Amino acid sequence: QAQLVESGGGLVQAGESLRLSCSASGRTFSTHAMGWFRQAPGKDRELVARIRWSNGEPYYADSVKGRFSISRARAGHTIYLQMNSLKSEDTAVYYCAAQRVGAASYDTWGQGTQVTVSA
């Protein structure tokens, strides 16, 4: 079974940047999409960005448009989330997720990485 491992979280000041990475290991799968979710304390988990595997089409939540950029490596199941102009409201645990071809929803999740933005 595939596993997703995130890295790149940390503590930054408002206005600074971070880059998150997510790599799949183990038995990989035919992928429909991979994405980044986040969950802040007391809030529901929300989709931040996702990339469609077949054509690289990205999607962004309105709250991060123009500041975040999702991309994928040329080979393998690795994605990145470049986060610029970070705000305190971006503070959350960020999760990488994958949706297999034929799956109704994201069905493989990473363990999460903490992003903290100080004002």
Side-chain angles (χ1 to χ4, degrees), residues 1-41:
Q1 184 172 351
Q3 292 182 325
L4 301 179
V5 179
E6 304 101 333
S7 62
L11 171 63
V12 296
Q13 294 186 336
E16 293 184 341
S17 299
L18 276 177
R19 189 191 195 209
L20 304 183
S21 300
C22 171
S23 295
S25 62
R27 186 177 180 181
T28 55
F29 40 79
S30 296
T31 305
H32 171 67
M34 289 185 72
W36 291 96
F37 289 73
R38 69 185 180 187
Q39 187 166 22

Side-chain angles (χ1 to χ4, degrees), residues 69-114:
S69 177
I70 189 170
S71 61
R72 56 176 288 189
R74 290 185 178 182
H77 286 74
T78 298
I79 61 170
Y80 308 98
L81 185 68
Q82 178 66 41
M83 305 186 292
N84 298 327
S85 302
L86 283 162
K87 305 175 181 179
S88 56
E89 50 262 45
D90 295 318
T91 295
V93 177
Y94 284 70
Y95 297 90
C96 175
Q99 181 180 5
R100 292 175 294 167
V101 171
S105 61
Y106 290 87
D107 54 354
T108 304
W109 293 83
Q111 81 288 351
T113 185
Q114 177 70 46

